[in-house]
Amino acid sequence: LDASVDTWSYFYTHLMSIWLNRFYIYSCAAFGIGIWICFQFLAIKAKKQGFATILAEAILSRNLPAEIINMRDYDPDDCLAEEATSKNICVFLVATYTDGQPTENAAWFCKWLEEAVNDFRFGKTYLKGMRYAVFGLGNSVYVDHYNTVGKNIDKWLWMLSASRIMTRAEGDCSVAKSEHGSIEADFDAWKGRFLARLQALRKGKKKPCSGNCKKGKCKSKGKQSKEGSDHEQRVSEQENTEVEDLFETTSEEESGAEEDRSRNSVIDVEDLGKIIGHMKKAKKECELEEEAGKTGPSQQSSGKNEESERREMITPGLRDALTKQGEGRGGCYKHTFYGIESHRCMETTPSLACANKCVFCWRHHTNPVGTEWRWKMDQPEMILREAIENHQNLIKQFKGVPGVRVDRFEEGMVVKHCALSLVGEPIMYPEINTFLKLLHRHNISSFLVTNAQFPVEIRNLEPVTQLYVSVDASTKESLKKIDRPLFKDFWQRFLDSLKALAEKQQRTVYRLTLVKAWNVDELKAYAELVSLGKPDFIEVKGVTYCGESSASNLTMANVPWHEEVVHFVRELADLIPDYDIACEHEHSNCLLIAHKKFKIDGEWCTWIDYDRFQELVQEYENSRGSKTFAAADYVAKTPHWAVFGSRERGFDPLDTRFQRKNKTKDISGC
């Protein structure tokens, strides 16, 4: 009995010791598991780099050029599109990290590629002509995220119309589940097939995979190995169910409509005929392309110039999308702030392209995107002529409509102002200065808006009646979050643009768009930016919600009430002693802060003497720029109803105001 008691006491003592020190035991176990996981991922990363070197050496040994590029040093915006027109073959060796995420050096590339796929402005044929192959590295022990990065990159490239030269392959660190016994063996097997494929392409024996393979049946000509065919069939069956609908047509003309349908958007009944027509046309084009492929590639003239190879900026699908986006009802705040006659204001742009993808884009990201001009260019004379014609045709539609005043209808046929802010980045247009001069020669004032990403172009800009810079955020982090700029050095470009604005002698404006819960708490930072750019005016406007968009998570909850905008403006004005609140337009949820130099003899002079401006700009041109002029040379008195604090709150008493039915109080300004 004593022996059994001693034994139990012995075990009891040890069990209690383990229980009392369980925290340390758990910690050691967790630490050990963590070390093992880190080792696994570091091993994968090291193997990825080693595999790239091995593959490059194998390619060089066959007298073919090869270059290893770290994804951290690769700018997809500037370089990836060039691959579509080059003879290069891009091979992506990518590893999957924690929770299915890419490695640190590949994170930006993957993020950019995913956004490009979901961005209307790129179009489904953005990478058409690019040839690629993908080898993913992962560990199948992590079933939910096995080789996620390789699968995504392969899918996204294909969705942008790039062509696989062979099916994606996967290397598995798990020896038990690896197809060839180890990740090294997986790589060697794929490398052999890739080099054979490369030699075949070099000799012109095989046509690259079209990307339209369905249910494992490759449409490419030529014999395929049984191993490659079986593997391709397995992968195709897994992926085609996911992306097949996105590749039914490749016509750029219906990119906008097709993208919308893929996101379960509603199609108007009157648009069904157009959609069916586009599908038939796309199908016919595909058949013609296949016939052309059978007869051989067409011969291109060596003397073909670069301009003829550029893409059209406005495709039919994009034209339809932009046409569907109309205007609202109500007076414009620019009439209240600056004396613009709204019915004589032509809103247009010489460039639909933009270098930002702002979350509040009222065009729902249907316009093209880019950091430089790479499209066919229309001449400024043609743009101005057709813009005026379209403006007049728009005005003509109101002839005979009840409530339309005859005098304003006749005035509206003569354009007096031009707002270059319809969509996109007007300053990207290569002939923007010529276009501005044409406007002024036609006695049309110019209001140009830029997104503060092109400082050199701002400095080179000819005199503008009023130059705007969009200041959508005051810190690097919030600007990246709200504007989603394409430039990597976006913040430096932003600051340089504000400095360039300070050098301008004519009227300059900061335009702040308040997005509730995003950028309304950065008052001190905004004040610092004001001291940097020294604008004449600061427009502060609550963001306008333009409906649900797959390209943005903006909702009505992000729209500030008008009284909230007023509160923000009051606090901002207190931080910038040289400025004060000048005007208000409640209907547009907008206020104007002006430099105190525009308060002459106790009265605000924010309006513009447009006739005087035309005289000054003509003298400037005649003197070839030697006779300059400043903002104070063409000011006009602001009427009492437009001044902040007036009973009208910015609404012109000469106009008729339409109130909403069953609405007791309007505090939103919407």
Side-chain angles (χ1 to χ4, degrees):
L1 182 63
D2 292 339
S4 61
V5 170
D6 291 341
T7 303
W8 167 248
S9 177
Y10 175 80
F11 281 110
Y12 178 79
T13 302
H14 282 79
L15 288 172
M16 287 301 298
S17 176
I18 293 173
W19 175 253
L20 292 173
N21 294 283
R22 63 188 183 281
F23 174 77
Y24 302 104
I25 296 172
Y26 295 158
S27 300
C28 291
F31 180 75
I33 295 172
I35 292 292
W36 181 81
I37 292 174
C38 290
F39 175 78
Q40 288 292 319
F41 286 123
L42 288 173
I44 291 175
K45 188 174 181 181
K47 287 175 181 177
K48 180 185 70 172
Q49 296 172 344
F51 288 159
T53 303
I54 293 171
L55 183 62
E57 291 174 353
I59 295 172
L60 291 170
S61 67
R62 286 163 171 74
N63 296 322
L64 292 171
E67 179 183 4
I68 301 175
I69 302 176
N70 191 317
M71 281 191 176
R72 180 185 289 108
D73 305 323
Y74 189 81
D75 188 348
D77 185 65
D78 294 335
C79 304
L80 203 57
E82 296 177 3
E83 308 292 356
T85 56
S86 70
K87 295 183 179 180
N88 298 336
I89 294 176
C90 301
V91 183
F92 297 89
L93 302 180
V94 289
T96 299
Y97 204 48
T98 309
D99 295 329
Q101 297 299 312
T103 53
E104 183 181 353
N105 66 325
W108 167 249
F109 179 88
C110 292
K111 183 177 185 298
W112 184 94
L113 196 60
E114 181 180 14
E115 289 187 353
V117 168
N118 296 316
D119 195 322
F120 285 113
R121 298 173 291 182
F122 280 89
K124 291 192 298 184
T125 58
Y126 182 69
L127 296 180
K128 188 175 183 179
M130 174 183 171
R131 299 182 294 176
Y132 75 96
V134 176
F135 182 81
L137 295 86
N139 193 324
S140 58
V141 172
Y142 307 97
V143 180
D144 294 338
H145 306 294
Y146 175 55
N147 261 314
T148 300
V149 177
K151 293 174 183 176
N152 285 339
I153 289 180
D154 181 42
K155 179 178 68 175
W156 293 332
L157 290 171
W158 194 15
M159 290 174 73
L160 291 172
S161 294
S163 300
R164 300 188 186 103
I165 66 166
M166 61 186 299
T167 305
R168 182 192 74 253
E170 298 174 348
D172 193 348
C173 275
S174 175
V175 178
K177 296 185 178 181
S178 172
E179 186 177 352
H180 299 90
S182 68
I183 192 170
E184 291 83 1
D186 291 339
F187 173 76
D188 288 338
W190 172 82
K191 183 186 72 173
R193 297 197 304 272
F194 173 77
L195 293 174
R197 182 80 175 107
L198 203 61
Q199 287 293 104
L201 288 173
R202 185 185 186 187
K203 296 177 182 178
K205 289 183 178 180
K206 285 189 177 183
K207 180 182 177 183
C209 180
S210 64
N212 292 321
C213 307
K214 297 182 181 180
K215 302 188 185 300
K217 297 179 181 178
C218 184
K219 295 183 178 180
S220 302
K221 304 298 179 184
K223 296 180 180 179
Q224 299 178 335
S225 66
K226 184 178 185 300
E227 182 180 10
S229 298
D230 292 343
H231 184 58
E232 183 165 351
Q233 181 173 352
R234 288 193 300 271
V235 176
S236 297
E237 288 175 350
Q238 292 172 1
E239 293 185 351
N240 279 328
T241 56
E242 179 181 359
V243 297
E244 182 175 325
D245 291 341
L246 297 175
F247 302 104
E248 285 300 321
T249 61
T250 58
S251 173
E252 191 170 331
E253 290 185 354
E254 53 178 331
S255 60
E258 288 295 320
E259 289 286 344
D260 282 343
R261 289 196 294 277
S262 69
R263 290 166 175 78
N264 299 321
S265 60
V266 179
I267 302 171
D268 293 337
V269 174
E270 62 266 24
D271 292 337
L272 286 175
K274 294 181 181 179
I275 293 171
I276 294 172
H278 285 319
M279 292 176 65
K280 289 181 178 179
K281 186 175 181 181
K283 184 177 180 181
K284 187 175 181 180
E285 288 177 353
C286 290
E287 292 174 352
L288 292 174
E289 287 179 4
E290 289 180 2
E291 291 178 4
K294 292 177 181 178
T295 55
S298 58
Q299 300 296 322
Q300 297 183 350
S301 172
S302 59
K304 189 174 183 179
N305 57 39
E306 182 181 353
E307 182 66 25
S308 63
E309 296 176 355
R310 292 179 182 267
R311 305 177 184 180
E312 290 285 356
M313 177 174 283
I314 307 179
T315 62
L318 177 57
R319 185 186 302 277
D320 291 342
L322 293 177
T323 303
K324 297 284 285 186
Q325 298 163 3
E327 299 292 337
R329 181 181 189 181
C332 179
Y333 71 90
K334 289 190 283 291
H335 172 60
T336 300
F337 294 173
Y338 316 118
I340 283 181
E341 298 171 274
S342 301
H343 57 293
R344 303 183 70 180
C345 181
M346 175 178 68
E347 195 172 20
T348 187
T349 181
S351 169
L352 291 175
C354 188
N356 288 347
K357 296 184 284 186
C358 304
V359 295
F360 51 75
C361 179
W362 66 289
R363 289 301 191 185
H364 286 186
H365 306 91
T366 51
N367 55 308
V369 67
T371 57
E372 61 182 6
W373 188 272
R374 58 172 183 264
W375 297 273
K376 292 181 179 180
M377 187 188 75
D378 292 328
Q379 293 304 309
E381 294 81 4
M382 187 271 282
I383 294 176
L384 179 59
R385 182 180 67 254
E386 294 196 1
I388 293 175
E389 289 177 359
N390 288 330
H391 171 84
Q392 292 173 340
N393 290 334
L394 185 64
I395 297 296
K396 289 177 183 178
Q397 296 178 22
F398 291 91
K399 187 174 183 179
V401 175
V404 174
R405 290 166 49 174
V406 177
D407 58 334
R408 290 197 177 181
F409 177 82
E410 294 175 352
E411 289 175 352
M413 297 299 291
V414 180
V415 178
K416 189 176 181 180
H417 316 286
C418 180
L420 296 169
S421 62
L422 178 67
V423 67
E425 179 65 84
I427 208 168
M428 286 181 68
Y429 178 56
E431 295 293 333
I432 185 62
N433 281 325
T434 304
F435 187 74
L436 289 170
K437 290 179 180 179
L438 285 173
L439 287 173
H440 299 154
R441 288 169 190 169
H442 284 76
N443 290 320
I444 300 174
S445 63
S446 52
F447 292 77
L448 189 147
V449 182
T450 176
N451 287 321
Q453 290 295 297
F454 296 92
V456 175
E457 286 75 6
I458 291 176
R459 286 191 172 91
N460 296 335
L461 204 61
E462 290 288 324
V464 180
T465 308
Q466 190 156 282
L467 178 60
Y468 291 76
V469 165
S470 292
V471 182
D472 302 323
S474 57
T475 65
K476 183 177 180 179
E477 293 73 22
S478 57
L479 187 70
K480 185 175 182 179
K481 182 179 179 182
I482 294 174
D483 279 5
R484 299 189 295 181
L486 300 183
F487 284 109
K488 282 188 175 181
D489 58 340
F490 66 91
W491 183 245
Q492 189 58 49
R493 284 176 169 270
F494 178 75
L495 296 178
D496 290 344
S497 295
L498 300 186
K499 294 176 184 177
L501 193 77
E503 301 170 6
K504 293 295 177 181
Q505 298 184 35
Q506 292 74 42
R507 294 167 65 108
T508 56
V509 182
Y510 274 10
R511 188 172 68 173
L512 276 62
T513 301
L514 296 187
V515 185
K516 194 173 180 178
W518 286 37
N519 65 351
V520 295
D521 301 321
E522 305 171 353
L523 282 163
K524 291 184 179 179
Y526 275 120
E528 292 174 359
L529 293 180
V530 171
S531 63
L532 184 66
K534 300 178 177 62
D536 295 320
F537 305 97
I538 305 169
E539 289 181 7
V540 184
K541 187 180 188 300
V543 67
T544 302
Y545 180 63
C546 300
E548 184 179 354
S549 169
S550 60
S552 171
N553 58 356
L554 197 72
T555 67
M556 278 298 296
N558 299 114
V559 180
W561 294 97
H562 182 66
E563 297 307 327
E564 291 176 316
V565 177
V566 172
H567 178 72
F568 176 90
V569 170
R570 287 184 187 275
E571 291 190 334
L572 179 60
D574 290 341
L575 296 175
I576 43 179
D578 293 333
Y579 295 80
D580 202 355
I581 306 174
C583 302
E584 175 187 26
H585 192 246
E586 183 190 30
H587 183 71
S588 297
N589 204 8
C590 187
L591 285 92
L592 180 69
I593 300 175
H595 196 283
K596 291 181 179 178
K597 67 183 180 181
F598 290 94
K599 198 169 189 178
I600 304 171
D601 297 329
E603 294 184 326
W604 282 112
C605 296
T606 65
W607 277 35
I608 299 172
D609 186 338
Y610 295 101
D611 293 334
R612 180 56 182 156
F613 170 79
Q614 296 298 347
E615 294 173 1
L616 292 170
V617 77
Q618 190 61 47
E619 292 174 1
Y620 174 86
E621 287 192 21
N622 292 339
S623 65
R624 295 185 178 179
S626 61
K627 190 173 183 179
T628 60
F629 60 100
D633 296 332
Y634 55 101
V635 297
K637 181 182 175 181
T638 308
H640 68 89
W641 55 264
V643 176
F644 177 70
S646 67
R647 179 177 57 85
E648 294 84 357
R649 304 199 75 169
F651 193 90
D652 190 343
L654 297 178
D655 292 334
T656 302
R657 187 166 192 174
F658 294 89
Q659 298 285 358
R660 295 181 182 177
K661 294 181 179 180
N662 302 324
K663 190 169 183 181
T664 58
K665 186 179 180 182
D666 183 1
I667 62 171
S668 68
C670 299

